[in-house]
């Protein structure tokens, strides 16, 4: 399907990542946004609030992030595509409803424009400290998808992608932006509506009798109906059976949680997205995501100028993690260097997949600004010293 | 028994409200003497005469004993997280204003963990009906103190008696902007049924508090007898005062209970205000959603 032209501002724009994210959501068909002000994400909802009266959307500023993160789910069951937008402290409050969305298979998008934490931290300054929280923040076992854009253009493109993945797999999708990407102003090209691919959830329209709203076919993703369609569905955060009814048995829990995991795991190859440069013949691979992918480029260029064989792998989808590719690379390179605007988070995944097959060097940074390329360069050089 | 009579009897549903319930989920979890089931009966009777298309009625519950009501109703029903039924209902209503959205939940759920959502939905005059069952404690978790536990009552987390001031819920709802506020008990089935019907027909934030016995975890611990004793207490100690000033209707431990319809007024609802505002501001440039157009711009 193609985007509804009513929401699409086709043309070249000079806007920041936050505003590009808003435009991406509108182009993707998002027509309900609930949010609560928090720096550095607020510009996303400000633009939405400005634009929505003209595109058939409803924006509401809720009383807190807890309310925002569940109001969107009410709207999704009312038939809309919906998202909420926040930063670290608000993201912490939303964890409850990331779990609810995962459990009830409610497609929705959570945008986290990351700032430095913990707690109130550095409200106006960048970090990438919520990467593990995105994956593991709510209690229990579940899978989500998380995406890290590195430019305003990607904030537009990947917000559409986030909605598409969310609709396809009925899973909460996180847009893991950061303050730099959110506030960076660059050229953003919005294509014509008919060039924008938009996916919608599979809708059940069959007989009402014996309808099982949580019965999944081979793709493990159940078809959806909405409130008011006459199917009289029941949706609960309790462990439930295919009918949606609470079922407190060990077997129902095992079956449901396994499917929630598998519907992402088994489609991981379709979901995973990364970009590689100079990987063939590399001795060293720098693994990056978000804004750090851009601060790593001068370091990689300088290292290559010094004769080091350095490649670059940029994660675009961070969760699910490209386990196979990292495992494969670890078997043939000398080292993997992982700069992140946190004290080391995704590097744990790299280490796990590398399983001791090569040297792993973390380049931590507590946030507040971006890495100095010279620090990444030093880590690249150090990573193969003595090997 | 003659055979034909037997057949006739077999055709009579076991319970006249059966078709409104998910009978495949019975038996329910509520204890003998619990008042929640009685309120559900009243709710169904109100629905029956409301003229509403049941396919367009959605129920949202939070967590707790009353939180289970959504799961037993044969409606589109959502059993959400603890305290968050109101913001879920808000999203659902804004997405599809054609729906009649009812929140049915308990006192702890709606006024402790969900208190912030409650006051803001009332302030906005959000177009939802909130039915709150007040059993004065947290039932499902074992009878802990709630914002509604009377001073002097004993709860599992106030084993030496409660000394915290309680919420006067009708006053809270009115002062935050609810346009319909009533209180009844599980004893007042006819008044309650009529009141629910009115609340369902009301535009904006309508609120009914229903006192209901929890014999297992409130009455027993406070030596108030069983469910029947509580119902008798409601009968003997309730005074119907329609239009009473909500400031005067606070509850006290085993004190008199003022019941009635306290507030029934008009004020623009959230959806009316939003649609009117954008219409006035932008005229034809305002593009309401398709569902919004059906309800507000027909």
């Amino acid at each position: 399907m193609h985007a509804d032209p009513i929401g699409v501002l086709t043309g070249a724009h000079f806007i920041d990542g936050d505003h590009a994210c808003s435009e991406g959501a509108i182009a993707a068909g998002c027509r309900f946004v609930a949010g609560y002000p928090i720096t550095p994400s607020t510009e996303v909802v400000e633009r939405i609030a400005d634009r929505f009266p003209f595109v058939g959307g409803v924006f509401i500023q809720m009383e807190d992030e807890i309310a925002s993160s569940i109001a969107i789910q009410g709207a999704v069951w009312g038939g809309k595509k919906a998202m909420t937008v926040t930063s670290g402290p608000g993201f912490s409050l939303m964890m409850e409803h990331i779990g609810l969305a995962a459990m009830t298979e409610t497609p929705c998008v959570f945008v986290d424009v990351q700032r430095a934490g913990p707690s109130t931290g550095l409200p106006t300054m960048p970090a990438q400290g919520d990467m593990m929280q995105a994956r593991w923040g709510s209690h229990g076992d579940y899978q989500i998808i998380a995406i890290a854009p590195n430019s305003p253009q990607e904030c537009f493109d990947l917000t559409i992608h986030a909605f598409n993945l969310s609709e396809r797999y009925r899973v909460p999708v996180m847009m893991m932006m950061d303050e730099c990407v959110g506030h960076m102003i660059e050229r953003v090209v919005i294509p014509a509506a008919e060039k924008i691919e938009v996916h919608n959830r599979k809708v059940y329209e069959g007989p009402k009798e014996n309808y099982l709203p949580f019965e999944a076919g081979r793709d493990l993703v159940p078809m959806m109906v909405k409130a008011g369609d006459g199917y009289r569905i029941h949706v609960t955060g309790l462990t439930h059976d295919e009918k949606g009814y609470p079922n407190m048995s060990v077997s129902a829990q095992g079956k449901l949680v396994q499917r929630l995991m598998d519907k992402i795991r088994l489609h991981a190859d379709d979901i995973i997205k990364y970009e590689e440069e100079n990987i063939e013949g590399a001795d060293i691979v720098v693994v990056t995501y978000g804004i750090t992918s851009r601060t790593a480029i001068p370091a990689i260029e300088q290292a290559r100028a010094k004769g080091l064989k350095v490649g670059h792998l940029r994660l675009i989808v961070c969760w699910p993690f490209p386990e196979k590719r990292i495992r494969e690379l670890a078997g043939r390179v000398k080292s993997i260097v992982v700069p992140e605007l946190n004290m080391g988070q995704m590097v744990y995944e790299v280490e796990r997949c590398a399983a001791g097959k090569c040297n792993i060097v973390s380049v931590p940074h507590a946030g507040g600004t971006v890495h100095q390329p010279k620090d990444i360069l030093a880590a690249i050089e150090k990573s193969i010293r003595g090997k | 028994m003659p055979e034909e009579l037997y057949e006739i009897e077999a055709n009579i549903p076991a319970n006249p409200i059966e078709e409104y319930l998910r009978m495949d989920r019975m038996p329910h979890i509520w204890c003998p003497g619990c008042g929640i089931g009685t309120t559900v009966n009243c709710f169904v009777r109100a629905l029956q005469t409301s003229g509403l298309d049941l396919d367009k009625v959605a129920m949202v519950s939070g967590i707790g004993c009353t939180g289970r009501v959504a799961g037993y109703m044969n409606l589109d029903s959502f059993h959400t997280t603890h305290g968050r039924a109101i913001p879920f209902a808000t999203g659902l209503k804004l997405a599809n204003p054609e729906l009649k959205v009812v929140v049915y939940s308990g006192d702890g759920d709606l006024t402790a963990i969900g208190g912030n959502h409650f006051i803001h939905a009332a302030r906005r005059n959000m177009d939802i009906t909130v039915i709150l069952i007040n059993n004065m404690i947290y039932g499902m978790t074992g009878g802990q103190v709630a914002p509604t536990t009377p001073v002097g009552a004993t709860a599992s987390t106030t084993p030496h008696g409660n000394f915290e001031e309680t919420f006067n819920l009708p006053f809270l709802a009115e002062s935050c902007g609810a346009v319909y506020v009533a209180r009844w008990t599980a004893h007042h089935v006819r008044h309650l049924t009529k009141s629910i019907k009115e609340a369902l027909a009301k535009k904006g934030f309508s609120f009914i508090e229903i006192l209901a016995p929890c014999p297992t975890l409130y009455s027993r611990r406070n030596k108030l007898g069983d469910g029947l004793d509580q119902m008798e207490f409601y009968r003997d100690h309730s005074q119907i005062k329609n239009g009473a000033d909500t400031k005067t209707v606070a509850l006290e431990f085993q004190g008199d209970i003022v019941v009635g319809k306290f507030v029934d007024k008009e004020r623009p609802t959230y959806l009316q205000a939003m649609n009117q505002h954008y219409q006035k501001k932008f005229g034809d440039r305002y593009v309401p959603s398709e569902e919004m157009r059906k309800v507000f711009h027909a």
Side-chain angles (χ1 to χ4, degrees):
Chain A
M1 251 192 99
H2 301 133
D4 182 348
I6 194 178
V8 180
L9 296 182
T10 301
H13 303 262
F14 194 55
I15 52 176
D16 72 8
D18 280 354
H19 285 190
C21 171
S22 315
E23 292 304 327
I26 293 169
C30 173
R31 292 295 180 268
F32 184 86
V33 173
Y36 185 84
I38 184 165
T39 306
S41 75
T42 314
E43 292 86 342
V44 181
V45 291
E46 284 173 344
R47 189 169 180 119
I48 289 283
D50 189 37
R51 295 260 286 123
F52 259 15
F54 310 109
V55 302
V58 173
F59 167 74
I60 182 168
Q61 183 174 311
M62 294 299 285
E63 51 274 13
D64 57 29
E65 288 89 346
I66 300 171
S68 305
S69 58
I70 194 165
I72 61 169
Q73 300 187 43
V76 168
W77 285 100
K80 299 292 172 190
K81 291 187 186 179
M83 79 169 181
T84 187
V85 185
T86 192
S87 184
F91 200 48
S92 292
L93 289 179
M94 291 180 177
M95 289 301 129
E96 175 179 15
H97 294 134
I98 289 171
L100 180 71
M103 188 61 146
T104 55
E105 302 181 70
T106 303
C108 51
V109 172
F110 290 77
V111 177
D112 177 12
V113 187
Q114 297 172 86
R115 67 192 222 186
S119 191
T120 313
L122 301 173
T124 62
M125 301 176 188
Q128 297 176 312
D130 309 346
M131 299 306 295
M132 282 290 174
Q133 185 184 24
R135 173 64 188 87
W136 303 103
S138 200
H139 55 279
D141 290 300
Y142 59 95
Q143 292 269 331
I144 51 90
I145 296 171
I147 300 175
N150 78 347
S151 66
Q153 181 67 54
E154 279 199 349
C155 289
F156 175 81
D157 296 337
L158 294 177
T159 300
I160 298 170
H161 191 54
F163 273 97
N164 288 348
L165 289 170
S166 167
E167 292 288 315
R168 177 149 177 213
Y169 297 107
R170 284 187 63 179
V171 70
V173 177
M174 327 275 154
M175 274 295 281
M176 302 305 289
M177 292 165 55
D178 55 69
E179 186 276 335
C180 284
V181 163
H183 285 163
M184 174 192 293
I185 299 177
E186 284 185 342
R187 181 183 157 91
V188 173
V189 176
I190 299 183
E194 66 268 21
K195 298 273 196 263
I196 298 173
E197 200 186 322
V198 165
H199 294 273
N200 296 326
R201 64 200 69 157
K202 285 184 297 176
V203 174
Y204 177 82
E205 288 168 334
K208 290 172 186 173
E209 296 73 36
N210 306 318
Y211 169 52
L212 297 173
F214 291 91
E215 184 186 50
R218 285 181 62 191
D219 69 351
L220 305 181
V221 184
M223 293 170 116
M224 210 166 163
V225 297
K226 62 180 192 292
D229 282 351
Y231 288 94
R232 312 270 183 102
I233 45 166
H234 184 57
V235 177
T236 176
L238 285 167
T239 297
H240 45 272
D241 57 21
E242 284 78 5
K243 192 151 191 195
Y245 284 5
N247 185 326
M248 299 297 101
S249 71
V250 175
S251 63
Q253 167 75 2
K255 196 174 170 194
L256 175 60
V257 174
Q258 191 67 54
R259 185 173 62 74
L260 296 180
M261 304 291 288
D262 286 348
K263 74 174 177 179
I264 301 303
R265 277 184 179 166
L266 300 181
H267 295 110
D269 289 344
D270 296 333
I271 300 167
I272 286 167
K273 198 168 174 168
Y274 53 82
E275 200 175 70
E276 291 180 336
E277 205 176 356
N278 300 316
I279 290 288
E280 284 315 307
D283 291 329
I284 306 161
V285 172
V286 180
V287 173
T288 67
Y289 55 92
I291 189 60
T292 309
S293 66
R294 296 177 67 158
T295 46
I297 290 169
I300 293 167
E301 282 172 356
Q302 286 161 28
R304 288 180 66 82
K306 288 183 175 190
L308 296 174
K309 291 178 182 165
V310 188
H312 187 186
L313 186 152
R314 173 169 78 98
L315 304 172
I316 296 169
V317 170
C318 293
W319 302 112
F321 189 75
E323 298 175 346
K324 274 190 239 165
R325 185 58 177 158
I326 297 295
R327 201 174 297 136
E328 196 177 50
L329 289 174
R332 59 181 164 97
V333 302
K334 291 177 182 162
S335 66
I336 299 178
V337 177
V338 189
E340 304 178 80
L341 282 186
N342 55 50
M343 300 309 281
Q345 294 194 13
M346 297 307 283
V347 69
Y348 288 129
E349 281 297 286
V350 175
E351 275 179 346
R352 179 177 69 81
C353 299
K357 285 189 277 186
C358 72
N359 192 26
I360 308 292
V361 175
S362 169
V363 193
H365 192 305
T369 184
V370 293
H371 286 86
Q372 292 280 346
K374 69 177 168 56
D375 295 333
I376 301 174
L377 176 64
I380 291 170
E381 290 177 320
K382 197 179 145 201
S383 74
I384 50 160
R385 206 166 291 154
K387 292 255 167 183
Chain B
M1 192 180 288
E3 203 171 280
E4 59 274 18
L5 183 59
Y6 181 82
E7 274 176 15
I8 290 165
E9 282 206 339
N11 288 335
I12 297 170
N15 186 321
I17 69 165
E18 242 178 37
E19 60 176 300
Y20 296 82
L21 302 177
R22 299 184 193 272
M23 292 308 289
D24 49 353
R25 289 218 53 217
M26 297 295 138
H28 57 68
I29 63 159
W30 299 314
C31 304
C34 170
I36 299 171
T38 309
T39 74
V40 171
N41 202 338
C42 294
F43 177 76
V44 169
R45 301 282 182 182
L47 263 190
Q48 280 176 323
T49 53
S50 67
L52 290 167
D53 174 359
L54 297 189
D55 283 345
K56 301 290 178 195
V57 179
M59 183 178 278
V60 187
S61 285
I63 298 294
C65 292
T66 312
R68 292 303 185 96
V69 172
Y72 298 133
M73 294 301 304
N74 190 16
L75 300 168
D76 283 320
S77 57
F78 301 90
H79 181 223
T80 63
T81 47
H82 194 21
R84 320 299 176 206
I86 287 177
F88 184 98
T90 297
L92 186 58
K93 180 70 185 180
L94 296 181
N96 188 355
E98 279 187 294
L99 299 173
K100 170 61 64 181
V101 181
V102 181
V103 169
Y104 213 113
S105 218
D107 49 326
D109 184 82
L110 286 169
T111 70
I113 188 166
N116 197 28
H117 312 308
F118 180 87
I119 62 175
H120 285 281
R123 171 182 65 79
R124 295 181 179 115
N125 201 17
M126 190 52 66
D127 309 56
I128 57 176
T129 296
V130 176
I131 296 174
L132 179 149
I133 309 301
N134 182 1
N135 60 11
M136 301 185 168
I137 38 93
Y138 287 86
M140 189 169 273
T141 45
Q144 293 78 22
V145 72
T148 43
T149 308
V151 173
T154 300
S156 76
T157 45
T158 51
H160 311 296
N162 176 37
F163 49 84
E164 265 188 38
E165 203 51 58
T166 59
F167 266 145
N168 172 355
L169 294 178
F171 181 45
L172 177 71
E174 183 186 12
S175 55
C176 293
V179 290
Y180 184 96
V181 179
R183 175 198 279 152
W184 300 100
T185 77
H187 174 74
H188 297 86
V189 289
R190 288 181 193 281
H191 293 92
L192 174 58
T193 303
K194 180 167 170 265
S195 189
I196 294 173
K197 192 178 164 187
E198 285 177 2
L200 289 172
K202 191 79 189 170
K203 287 188 163 42
F205 189 89
S206 52
F207 171 67
I208 303 176
E209 176 189 18
I210 309 169
L211 301 191
C214 176
T216 311
L217 291 158
Y218 180 75
S219 312
R220 189 174 53 122
R221 190 171 268 128
N222 285 287
K223 303 190 168 35
L224 304 175
D226 58 18
L228 184 60
D229 293 317
Q230 277 292 283
M231 293 293 262
E232 284 172 352
F233 181 84
Y234 292 156
R235 181 194 64 200
D236 298 339
H237 290 83
S238 295
Q239 301 164 18
I240 298 177
K241 286 187 186 171
N242 290 318
D245 182 344
T246 56
K247 275 184 203 158
T248 65
V249 303
L251 297 170
E252 285 175 10
F253 184 53
Q254 292 302 96
D256 286 345
I257 303 163
V258 179
V259 296
K261 177 168 78 173
F262 306 133
V263 177
D264 190 352
K265 63 181 179 189
E266 302 296 326
R267 139 176 123 83
T269 73
Y270 183 91
L271 279 164
Q272 286 169 344
M274 184 185 85
N275 280 287
Q276 277 162 16
H277 177 76
Y278 285 142
Q279 194 76 58
K280 198 172 152 198
K281 182 110 186 151
F282 300 120
D284 290 346
R285 289 175 60 218
Y286 172 45
V287 180
S289 70
E290 212 174 294
E291 298 88 344
M292 200 76 75
R293 192 174 295 128
K294 269 195 219 166
V295 179
F296 290 94
H297 308 273

